[in-house]
Structures are given as C-alpha cells and as structure tokens.
Amino acid sequence: MNKIKTILRGKFFFIFGPFIFLWLLRYIIPNYTISSKTPHWAYIPPKSCLGGCGSIDGLIPFVDWTNALIQFLRKYEIFGLFTFRDFTRGIASYVDKFLDFTEAVLHKGFPGYDVGPLPWIFILTLTIILGFYLRGWRLALLGGACFSYLILFSKRGIWELSMKSLAAISVSAPLAALIGLCLGILAVKRKRFANFLWPMLNILQSLPHFSYLILVVIFVGIGTKAGVIATVIFAFPPMARLTILGLQNISQEIKEAGVMAGCTKWQMLFKVEIPAARSPIMLGVNQVIMQCLAMIVIAAFIGQPGLGHDLLIRLQGLRLGEAFEIGVAVVLIAITLDRYSQALALKEPERREGNFVKRNPYLCATFFAIIICSILVFLFPFFNEYPKELTVSASVYLDNAIKSFTRSLFVPLGIFRDWMLIYFLMPLKAVFQSMPWTGVILFVGAIGWKLGKMRLALTVMLFVFFIASSGYWVRAMITVYMVFASLIICALIGIPLGIWASKKESRTKIVLNICDIFQTFPSFIYLLPAIMLFQISDVSAIFAIVIYSSIPMVRYTVFGLRNVPQQIIEASITSGCTDRQLLWKVKMPLAFPEIILGANQTLMFALFMVMIAGFIGTVDLSQEIFRALSFSDGGKGLIIGLCVAFIGLTADRLLVEWSSQMKSKLGFKV
Amino acid sequence: MNKEAKISCKNIWKLYGEAPEKFLKNTNNNPTTEEIKKNNYIPAVRDASIDVNTGEILVIMGLSGSGKSTLLRCMSKLIEPTHGQVFFEGNDLLKASEKELIDIRRHKMGMVFQHFALLPHRTVLQNVAFPLEVQGQEIQKREERAKDVIKLVGLEGREKYYPRELSGGQQQRVGLARSLAVEPDVWFLDEPFSALDPLIRKEMQNEFLRLQSMLKKTIVFITHDFDEAIRLADRIAIMYEGLIVQVGTPEELITKPATDYVAEFTKDIPRSKLLNAESIMNEKDKKPYENTVNYSDKIEKIASKVLKSESIFSVVDDNKEVIGSVSKKELIKALFAEDKNE
C-alpha cells in the first residue's frame, strides 16, 4: 500500500501518468485510430459548426474569425475616410521612396540626371577601407574577397542581384533597428509598455515567416517594398530585446553619476544610457542585419527581386550548380556583413593625437580613395562597369561535380535513407500521431504543475488547447514529430561533439568558429545539400533541420562544460577522479541546465527550419502555410502560424523554467 | 535645526517591501525590529537623524548591508526615503521639484563612486567636463575648467586617454576630478577607495586629504574600513542594520563606545595610532623631567623612545608648559587596557 502511495507521489507518475492513462484509452475506446472516419473526441478534437461549418475543421473557428477581422480592416473606412489597408499602404509608399534612392545608388542609377549606379570600384575600395577602420587588414581582406567574388562570378548577373538585395537591406535594416531601438527604450522607461511588449516579441519571434507574409501581401501588396516591410517586422524584435537588455544592464553607479551631474531625462538617455549600452545595442544592429539577410530568400516569396529570388527559382528547377553559385554569394555577403557589424559593435574609441591627418587617418583615406576612384572611372570604362567577358561561372563544373558525387553515393545514401525512414522516422511518426490531444494537454499541464507553477501549467495547457481546437491537430503533431526526431539526432551529434570540443582550448575555438560561420548562413542554403543528397523526402527535410539546429546544441554544451568552475574541477582531480569520472560525475551534472537550454534553442531552430523545409514537401503545418500563401488566405496563415508559435512557446516555457530551477538548486545565478 | 548644518537628516526611514509607507504609518513611524521582520520588510535605513556640519568630514561607516550607502543616497535624493526629512541648506530636499533638484545637483553636489562610474565612451577630458556640459556651458569654457581640475588631481597629460587605458587609481582620480568640476559645496564619496589596492588606497587617501586641505568642502565619506575612517574623519557615524549606533570623533568611539557592537569594531584598532600623549598622561605628576613629549603626539610616535628608556617623560603643551607625565607604566596600561577589562 505504501509502495503504491510513493509511486503515485513520485515524479515519474506525475509526468507520465496522465499520458499513459490516455494512451491506454485506445484499448478501451473502439474507434480510436487516426484513420477512422470518426475518431473519438478524446483523440482528435471534433469539428464544430460554430463558424457555420465552413471550410475549416476546427472546434473553434479561429480562422473564420481572423478572416472576418481582416475583411473588416480591408473594407471599413475609419471616419469614412480611409481603411486600415489604405493606412498600411500609405506607410509602404514612404518606404518606397527610400527604396527608390538606394536602388538608384546601387543598381538603377539616376536616369533623370544621366548618372549611372555607383561603380563597382567604389564599393570595393570603400568596403576595404571600412574593414581596416573597424578591425584591421583581416577584416578588410574578407570584405575585399567577398565583393571580388561578386564581381568576378557575375556571369549570370550575381553583381546586379546582390546590389538589388543590398538596396533592400539598406532600407530594411536601419528601419528595423530604429523601430527596435525606440520600442526598447519605451519598454525600459514605461513598465506597463514592457509588460505588453515582451509577450508580443515572444510571439512575433516564434511565428513562422510565411504566416505574416500573407498578411503583408493583403495589407501592402507584393514586390520589393512588401519584402522590406515583412523583413522589418521579422528583424526588429531582437533589436528591441537587446536594447532593453543593454539599458537594464547599465551599472547603477553610472546612472547615478548621470543623475548627480544634473542630467535631465533626455540628457540621461542620449548622453549616458545609450552610449553606455552601445555594445549590446550595436549587437542588436548586428542581429538585425543577419535577420534581414535571412529574409532575402523568404521575401522572394512575395516577389522581392534579388539573390533570394534567383536562388529560389534555381532550387525549384533543381539547377543545383547555379543555385550553389548564388548560395555562395549569399553566404559571403552574410559573413561579411556579420563580421563588419560585429566589429562595429565591439569597437572601442581610439586615442589619436597629432595633426588632422594623424587624428583622422581613415577619413583622409576615404577622401583620397574617392578622388582616385573617380579619376579611374572617368578615364577607363573598365572601372565603371566590369566587362562581362571577364566574368566567370563555375556552375557547369559544379553541376557535373554534384551529379557525379550523388551518383557515386546513390546506393549507400539510398540505403541509409530507407533505413532511417523504416526504422526510425516512421515508427516515431506513428507514436506521435496516436497521441490524444487530451493526453497532451494533461501531459504539459502536469509538467508545469510539477515545476511548481500553477500559472505556467495553465499557460501551456492553453497553448495546446489552442492548437487542438484550431482544427490543425493532426498536422501539428506531424510538425512536433519532425522537430522531435531532429532534436534526438541533434542531441546525438551535438552533445558528443560539444564534449569533444570542450576538452581543449584549441578545439573549442575551432568548433565555436565553425558554429559562428554556420549560423550566418541564411536558412534556405541548408536545403541545397539536403536535396543533393536525399532528393525530396522526410529524410532530406530532417537532414536540413539537423545541420541547421545542431549549432545551439554544440554551443551550449561547450559553454556549459567550460563554465564549470575551475575550483570544482581541481577539487575533483585532487580527490582522484579519472577523466571519465570527472566528466560524468562532475562536469556533466553541473553543465546539465545549460545543455537543457541548448536543447530548447535547438528546438526553436528546428521549428523554424521545419517551416522552411515545407518548401521541399513535408505534410505538416508548413505545407498548409504554403497553401495559405498561394491562396492569400490570411486567417489560415496567421492561425497556423500561431499554432507553430505555441508549439515553440510551450516547449520554451517548460524547458527554460526547468533549467533555471536546476540552476538555482546548483547555486548558479539565473 | 543646527545652524551650521549643511545637510540635516531627520528620522530617515527606508524600507523595502510592499507599500512600506502604509506600514510605517500604521506603526506610528516607529516599528520594532520584530514588526519589520514579521511583515517581511527589509530595513535599509531605520530612523536615522544626523547633521553634516559645514566644512567637516563626516565618515559614515559600517559593514556591507548596514545601510550606509542608502543613507548617503537619501541625502542626495538618489533614493527617495520612505519617511523622514532631508534639509539641504535649510530647504527640504524631499519637497523640491525635479527642476530644483537638478539645479542643486548641477551646482552644489559632487559625488564619487566606488567603481568610478566613468563614461566609457568619453575621454578623460570629456568625462570631467561632463557635468559642465549638461549644464549647457560652452565647449571652450568647460574644457578649460576641466583641464584645471585634471591638473589639480595630478592627471596632466592624460586628457585624451579613455578610461580603459588608465589604472584603477588613475580612474578614481578622474572620478574625483569630475565631481569637483562644478565646484560643489558638498562632496559625497561612496567608498571611493575600496576597489583599489592597499598601497594605492593609501596614496589616494593622502591625495584626498591634500585636496580637502585646499578646498575645504563639506564631505560625507562612506567606508567599511575603520582604519580609513580614523585617518580621514572629523566625526564618524557607525551604522548597524540600518541604525546609526553612535556618532562621535574617532577618540570618542574608542574610549567611550556606546554599544558592544562599536566596541567590537574598535577593538582591533591599534590605540597607538589614535590616542595622544595627553589622553594617557598622569595628570598629577607635573614635575619637569629631562625628556619631554608634545601633548598632541600620538602614542605610535613616542612609544619606542618611552619604552626603551627607564626614565619618565614630561608632557608639554604648545607653550612648553608641563601638563603631566608619561612613563612605561602609563603606556602599557593604555596599549593593553582591553585585556584588563575582559
């Protein structure tokens, strides 16, 4: 009797009890299977006719309601003057004005004044000087190499495409940074606004891109300006977050020094707080730029021309060699912009004394470079427009190389793919598809409750209920299965790699550097090798997800292991631990909370990538989103987007809470 | 109110917790320790009343968490007290408008911080000129003034350096210069030398005394180091768990500790550094002996020569008149007195 009581009180029962119970229901209820026409309500949420039995099979017609709201915003005239859509389109037309300018400078020229676009020699030279200024010759070399590639490999117009993309980024990035900065400042100054902003940022950042692309199409239209606006919506949240973080982390003393000097509120903000937080704020700018780059392919879905658009077309046509060439261009631009903006964030002001030239060497260098370049452009047409005859393209060779590579690996890869499908993916999918929604709700609720937070339990249960009642439960569970499968593989790869890397300083450095480079790749790039190796299947989707989302797993494992206090390690060694004991008895338990955070990040990355993998044909929520995109079904897109966001937020809430509780038990600062 | 007082604090309370004003009101502004604890309030400052006199160095000392920094911040209204009054030159600071406060801080107060609190993106010169800049002074005038103050703290030639290029001691010199740039009447120093190495700390204390001998400011100085307090203070206020336990001159604290806590604090202080010949002499013995010591000499200074010789020393005042005598016996009694008490 006592034994049963302890079992009932035990951790295991609370977490798995409700789940197992409802799983057992399948043997009690006759028509339990997914395939049966009328599954029991406890398994699949029933269809209700609250919304008039429309096209959506939901318990609650969220999609219809959202569409009604969108219709209202499109049609209803505020004060009888203009609709909400007129308003958004009005804003978009301002964006268009900025775009006209950057596009003219970078690739269209000013035909009215008979002035061409900025010649390549200017862009190349100025990039190199900027690199020198920001960090030194290495950075200058990187920038120079990047733009040289764009010029040299421009047989298929990579230079023009890059300039188109850069023109869009040079409007969207500053705009997103500015919006993020202002919202961040407002949130720090007004507590109530912060309470509103945080959850908004959470949802915005976990919403898949495609779901608001549809809304952008409805309210703005298509083309470059729509792309820019979608990019801004996607890119401003990290800026707002980092601004808030930066402003909150200013040391109390510095703020007091400002107050004691007699600063007014505005002086405080502009002379003390923003400068003191400039590093995190500039890291926010770095994040914004990276997000903008990640969006260049996604914005191509709503008709933004540029590198992303051409990459997409070539991927669709399976012209992998050409896609590869463009992919390299995207990656090079991404790495260059990343390193430049990072250098800018970390740059400390330098002391220079002497005459004007000595104090401002880079200003003078820029000045002379402009004069020399102008003369060159004036004298030689070569410097104005790089001659097409001198450009090269490796796409034919690449195509051949890829073909022979995949041909030689066709059989082993095929075997591997089939083995994965039959013995790992399909059984796992079956497990997830037979999970009753009621059981899942109880499951997440039980974990939340076990973590000791009633509010947390209710929140996550509400999230799951939303997904279940929206009518996309079956699809959502396929998404969950894909994410979960990827998470397992990521852990199997990432944790050992992290352990290996954390053993030596030199390894850590190399591995973290590789992680850095991989993380700068725009996500669509990962589809390239996936299609090359596994054609179109669940395996290729999971392959793409795994390479993309192993990065945080490795990073957090290394971080956790390397952050074990040196004293504890020394104490263990002097107690006579072997290397293995040290790892498993000391380091791993202490690094575990960090590894859980890594798993959480991996999950977020995977969820994000699943949505993109929908492009190569998976049957989960992402496919529905793509469908909604092609029908411009804003309500459906948004609701599915929220389903995805809530999957992410459910996992995020629980894992982060778990990790921070473990950390505080271990006595680490949270 | 004391006429001489530059700053006068009356019954300052600072409690952290939920709706502390209401709680204070309910307890007639005088809750007991038990009441505070029972209601989950954290008392930072409890019923502190103290005057800072014009031209004096008042050192507030206590261990970390004793509320000394909070009390200092109440004096400049960096922190709003839960209850009480702060008079600055007779005006109630807590009733002052935001504009008046900014004005007072711009012209009458200077503050030095434990971790320097320099603005990392500004050069030494720009940091020192910062308080003048926010006042709206034009660039030439303020940089001239800043250069003067930089010279005063001995950092000439470093005007164009950035804080990260300076050592801790040099950074705090910038901190001192910045707080002095506006020629404040009152100078707040919040553990200014605690973050420095012991040797540098000593050097900076000397620097501080040198500056004060020239400038004659009214000073509130926070420290947790009793040695430092004795070296610098005209008066010392000792705080314990938010209460001011005793206020007095260094000698008073050592010779007449108000509580066991103060006695415990002062126990390890070498008396030789503090007591002078006058305070230990035998007043009845006014015979002129061959050897003399001045009445104000610290024991530290005379100990070795008195202990080495077998003879008795006369204590003389500034007019060379004998006012008492010191011998081995008195010295030993003074130095080891606490053993007798135990």
Side-chain angles (χ1 to χ4, degrees), chain A residues 189-334:
Chain A
K189 299 287 170 195
R190 296 274 177 278
K191 194 91 193 81
R192 222 183 282 162
F193 182 69
N195 293 340
F196 160 80
L197 188 66
W198 269 112
M200 286 301 285
L201 291 181
N202 281 338
I203 291 180
L204 262 181
Q205 279 194 298
S206 34
L207 214 59
H209 311 98
F210 296 112
S211 71
Y212 49 76
L213 279 190
I214 306 166
L215 295 181
V216 171
V217 170
I218 292 172
F219 287 107
V220 178
I222 55 167
T224 311
K225 64 178 175 205
V228 166
I229 286 176
T231 306
V232 169
I233 299 174
F234 178 60
F236 86 83
M239 181 75 195
R241 266 177 214 272
L242 278 160
T243 304
I244 294 174
L245 219 66
L247 290 179
Q248 279 175 343
N249 282 358
I250 300 171
S251 85
Q252 192 60 33
E253 278 197 344
I254 289 213
K255 283 191 232 168
E256 287 176 347
V259 175
M260 287 306 288
C263 286
T264 60
K265 273 180 189 149
W266 290 105
Q267 286 176 328
M268 242 346 241
L269 186 62
F270 287 110
K271 297 198 177 215
V272 179
E273 291 175 322
I274 292 179
R278 75 198 186 294
S279 265
I281 289 177
M282 289 314 291
L283 278 179
V285 171
N286 169 265
Q287 288 293 305
V288 164
I289 293 175
M290 296 322 288
Q291 304 280 37
C292 288
L293 270 165
M295 275 298 278
I296 61 173
V297 186
I298 292 160
F301 278 90
I302 54 172
Q304 175 172 301
L307 286 170
H309 181 255
D310 280 51
L311 178 66
L312 210 60
I313 288 175
R314 289 182 169 82
L315 273 180
Q316 267 165 338
L318 285 181
R319 303 212 301 263
L320 295 182
E322 290 169 27
F324 194 84
E325 225 171 48
I326 298 177
V328 171
V330 176
V331 167
L332 277 177
I333 293 178

Side-chain angles (χ1 to χ4, degrees), chain A residues 132-432:
Chain A
F132 265 111
Y133 166 69
L134 288 174
R135 192 170 285 163
W137 65 271
R138 276 173 198 241
L139 195 66
L141 196 68
L142 175 70
C146 165
F147 280 91
S148 303
Y149 173 87
L150 298 182
I151 296 159
L152 201 62
F153 279 77
S154 193
K155 194 150 214 140
R156 285 173 214 285
I158 284 189
W159 177 259
E160 287 77 19
L161 294 174
S162 310
M163 290 304 120
K164 276 181 197 168
S165 293
L166 283 179
I169 288 176
S170 45
V171 175
S172 53
L175 206 57
L178 192 68
I179 293 174
L181 183 71
C182 293
L183 291 179
I185 291 170
L186 210 59
V188 172
K189 299 287 170 195
R190 296 274 177 278
K191 194 91 193 81
R192 222 183 282 162
F193 182 69
N195 293 340
F196 160 80
L197 188 66
W198 269 112
M200 286 301 285
L201 291 181
N202 281 338
I203 291 180
L204 262 181
Q205 279 194 298
S206 34
L207 214 59
H209 311 98
F210 296 112
S211 71
Y212 49 76
L213 279 190
I214 306 166
L215 295 181
V216 171
V217 170
I218 292 172
F219 287 107
V220 178
I222 55 167
T224 311
K225 64 178 175 205
V228 166
I229 286 176
T231 306
V232 169
I233 299 174
F234 178 60
F236 86 83
M239 181 75 195
R241 266 177 214 272
L242 278 160
T243 304
I244 294 174
L245 219 66
L247 290 179
Q248 279 175 343
N249 282 358
I250 300 171
S251 85
Q252 192 60 33
E253 278 197 344
I254 289 213
K255 283 191 232 168
E256 287 176 347
V259 175
M260 287 306 288
C263 286
T264 60
K265 273 180 189 149
W266 290 105
Q267 286 176 328
M268 242 346 241
L269 186 62
F270 287 110
K271 297 198 177 215
V272 179
E273 291 175 322
I274 292 179
R278 75 198 186 294
S279 265
I281 289 177
M282 289 314 291
L283 278 179
V285 171
N286 169 265
Q287 288 293 305
V288 164
I289 293 175
M290 296 322 288
Q291 304 280 37
C292 288
L293 270 165
M295 275 298 278
I296 61 173
V297 186
I298 292 160
F301 278 90
I302 54 172
Q304 175 172 301
L307 286 170
H309 181 255
D310 280 51
L311 178 66
L312 210 60
I313 288 175
R314 289 182 169 82
L315 273 180
Q316 267 165 338
L318 285 181
R319 303 212 301 263
L320 295 182
E322 290 169 27
F324 194 84
E325 225 171 48
I326 298 177
V328 171
V330 176
V331 167
L332 277 177
I333 293 178
I335 294 177
T336 305
L337 288 185
D338 177 45
R339 292 300 141 93
Y340 270 62
S341 50
Q342 243 178 44
L344 181 65
L346 300 177
K347 187 160 178 58
E348 302 267 13
E350 271 172 74
R351 171 167 48 90
R352 294 184 195 283
E353 290 169 76
N355 61 22
F356 184 81
V357 177
K358 271 190 182 156
R359 271 182 286 137
N360 305 292
Y362 295 104
L363 197 69
C364 298
T366 310
F367 184 68
F368 285 115
I370 289 175
I371 290 177
I372 291 170
C373 288
S374 306
I375 295 170
L376 285 176
V377 168
F378 188 69
L379 292 180
F380 308 100
F382 172 83
F383 289 105
N384 189 11
E385 199 170 334
Y386 190 77
K388 266 279 185 258
E389 311 85 79
L390 293 178
T391 56
V392 292
S393 167
S395 62
V396 181
Y397 312 106
L398 277 170
D399 261 338
N400 288 337
I402 291 168
K403 265 181 204 144
S404 65
F405 178 71
T406 41
R407 204 172 295 144
S408 65
L409 285 177
F410 187 75
V411 178
L413 281 176
I415 294 173
F416 176 73
R417 186 187 63 206
D418 294 344
W419 185 88
M420 281 287 284
L421 274 174
I422 294 168
Y423 292 104
F424 180 60
L425 296 179
M426 301 219 308
L428 198 65
K429 195 173 184 175
V431 169
F432 273 89

Side-chain angles (χ1 to χ4, degrees), chain B residues 257-276:
Chain B
T259 66
D260 287 348
Y261 181 74
V262 180
E264 188 67 22
F265 232 121
T266 56
K267 195 177 78 179
D268 295 329
I269 292 302
R271 272 127 210 283
S272 57
K273 279 188 181 169
L274 202 72
L275 301 180
N276 52 26

Side-chain angles (χ1 to χ4, degrees), chain A residues 250-265 267-268 270-278 347-354 359, chain B residues 73 76 78-79 98 102 105-106 109-111 113-122 130-131 133-136 157 160-162 164-165 178 188 190:
Chain A
I250 300 171
S251 85
Q252 192 60 33
E253 278 197 344
I254 289 213
K255 283 191 232 168
E256 287 176 347
V259 175
M260 287 306 288
C263 286
T264 60
K265 273 180 189 149
Q267 286 176 328
M268 242 346 241
F270 287 110
K271 297 198 177 215
V272 179
E273 291 175 322
I274 292 179
R278 75 198 186 294
K347 187 160 178 58
E348 302 267 13
E350 271 172 74
R351 171 167 48 90
R352 294 184 195 283
E353 290 169 76
R359 271 182 286 137
Chain B
R73 280 164 173 70
S76 56
L78 275 172
I79 292 177
E98 187 64 24
I102 285 179
R105 289 180 185 138
R106 279 185 178 175
M109 291 177 175
M111 184 157 172
F113 297 87
Q114 182 175 5
H115 300 291
F116 324 136
L118 301 179
L119 301 170
H121 61 290
R122 287 167 168 256
F130 179 68
E133 182 186 329
V134 299
Q135 287 178 16
K160 300 230 161 135
Y161 281 56
Y162 284 93
R164 73 193 140 89
E165 297 176 291
R178 178 177 64 184
F188 296 117
D190 182 16

Side-chain angles (χ1 to χ4, degrees), chain B residues 1 48 53 108 118 126 145 148 203 263 278 285 339:
Chain B
M1 194 202 311
N53 301 326
K108 306 224 157 156
L118 301 179
Q126 289 166 336
R145 167 69 190 153
D148 287 347
E203 187 189 315
E278 188 187 12
D285 182 9
D339 292 341

